[in-house]
Amino acid sequence: MLAIIAPDRDDVRQLIAASDCYLASLYPAENNHLTDIATLASPDVTFLGALCAGEAVGCGALVRSRPGECELKRMFVAAAHRGRGLGRRILRALEAIAGEEKRVVRLETGVKQKEAIALYRSAGFVAIAPFGNYAPDPLSVFMEKRSWV
């Protein structure tokens, strides 16, 4: 089940910690653009959880930082729950919200995250130049999609 949930729940904190650990295993700290729990709890963020028996096993967020835009952040599914299409379901649900708001969805992911890149491409995201506060980074891939088109 997918639901909008509070990002400061204990199960979500564990999920975010697992995500941080995974990303730290792939990239140096300066190349990890992580969003903290306090930011995820702000009113300009929609935080979505994939729940299994009431426990968050996957998540994703839309961060609204500029008019007409939002950034996809904190997409992650716990290892034990991968391969079930949860990431795709979270992505579709967040895209639907962005589409209702007529917002472009942008994201930054890492070059070593081949599965994530494939998911985003298959959902219609296209490569773009760095956006917002991001600088060019050889370890980053920047993408966007106009979800209402």
Side-chain angles (χ1 to χ4, degrees), residues 42-81:
S42 79
D44 291 336
V45 175
T46 299
F47 189 83
L48 192 65
L51 306 176
C52 181
E55 180 181 340
V57 298
C59 61
L62 286 180
V63 178
R64 296 164 189 86
S65 56
R66 292 176 169 80
E69 301 176 11
C70 58
E71 185 176 358
L72 188 66
K73 295 295 283 183
R74 287 301 191 171
M75 285 287 295
F76 187 74
V77 175
H81 295 273

Side-chain angles (χ1 to χ4, degrees), residues 77-87:
V77 175
H81 295 273
R82 292 184 189 145
R84 300 178 185 175
L86 290 176

Side-chain angles (χ1 to χ4, degrees), residues 61-149:
L62 286 180
V63 178
R64 296 164 189 86
S65 56
R66 292 176 169 80
E69 301 176 11
C70 58
E71 185 176 358
L72 188 66
K73 295 295 283 183
R74 287 301 191 171
M75 285 287 295
F76 187 74
V77 175
H81 295 273
R82 292 184 189 145
R84 300 178 185 175
L86 290 176
R88 184 169 302 279
R89 288 181 54 211
I90 293 166
L91 179 60
R92 284 182 182 152
L94 292 171
E95 281 185 88
I97 293 166
E100 289 172 10
E101 298 174 6
K102 302 280 193 258
R103 291 181 183 270
V104 173
V105 180
R106 294 196 171 123
L107 65 89
E108 179 276 336
T109 192
V111 296
K112 296 180 182 180
Q113 293 165 265
K114 303 298 183 194
E115 296 86 359
I117 294 168
L119 170 65
Y120 300 135
R121 283 188 179 142
S122 73
F125 282 78
V126 296
I128 60 169
F131 61 93
N133 295 326
Y134 292 105
D137 182 344
L139 296 179
S140 288
V141 174
F142 302 96
M143 304 178 92
E144 79 173 13
K145 181 178 180 182
R146 298 185 188 304
S147 293
W148 66 92
V149 176

Side-chain angles (χ1 to χ4, degrees), residues 5-57:
I5 61 174
D8 59 354
R9 293 169 36 153
D10 286 341
D11 56 348
V12 174
R13 287 182 185 280
Q14 292 172 6
L15 198 58
I16 297 287
S19 172
D20 290 352
C21 189
Y22 171 67
L23 293 170
S25 76
L26 296 176
Y27 307 104
E30 63 272 12
N31 297 93
N32 274 324
H33 309 285
L34 306 176
T35 305
D36 62 23
I37 300 278
T39 300
L40 294 172
S42 79
D44 291 336
V45 175
T46 299
F47 189 83
L48 192 65
L51 306 176
C52 181
E55 180 181 340
V57 298

